């Protein structure tokens, strides 16, 4: 997935909702960085894992303590990401 296109879609998602960017957590795992964003209107978490060259994985899941109800979706393209957060 293209890093600039993902960044543009995340910014547009927050602009459409009239909110500022809400960061959940950032973890540095040596060679990769995992950043969590909170959806501005839904109880969803957007988790982006990337290294210095590319975006490795984008997960969108419900913000709940019960792992069986998270319903995580892996987004491989920008279109998948737009469907997951819409």
């Amino acid at each position: 997935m293209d890093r600039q296109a993902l960044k543009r879609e995340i910014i547009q998602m927050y602009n459409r909702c009239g909110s500022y960017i809400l960061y959940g957590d950032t973890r540095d795992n040596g060679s990769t960085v995992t950043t969590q964003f909170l959806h501005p209107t839904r109880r969803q978490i957007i988790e982006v894992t990337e290294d210095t060259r590319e975006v490795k994985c984008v997960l969108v899941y419900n913000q709940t303590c019960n792992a069986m109800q998270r319903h995580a979706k892996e987004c491989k393209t920008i279109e998948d990401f737009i469907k997951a957060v819409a």
Side-chain angles (χ1 to χ4, degrees), residues 32-74:
T32 61
V33 175
T34 302
T35 306
Q36 289 182 346
F37 300 96
L38 303 176
H39 194 284
T41 58
R42 296 184 182 168
R43 293 184 50 90
Q44 285 185 333
I45 296 175
I46 302 159
E47 190 172 282
V48 179
T49 303
E50 58 189 338
D51 63 4
T52 57
R53 289 177 278 140
E54 63 182 347
V55 174
K56 296 288 187 182
C57 180
V58 178
L59 291 175
V60 178
Y61 56 89
N62 295 333
Q63 183 179 2
T64 181
C65 293
N66 188 346
M68 295 296 291
Q69 296 176 349
R70 286 192 180 155
H71 305 292
K73 299 174 195 94
E74 183 179 4

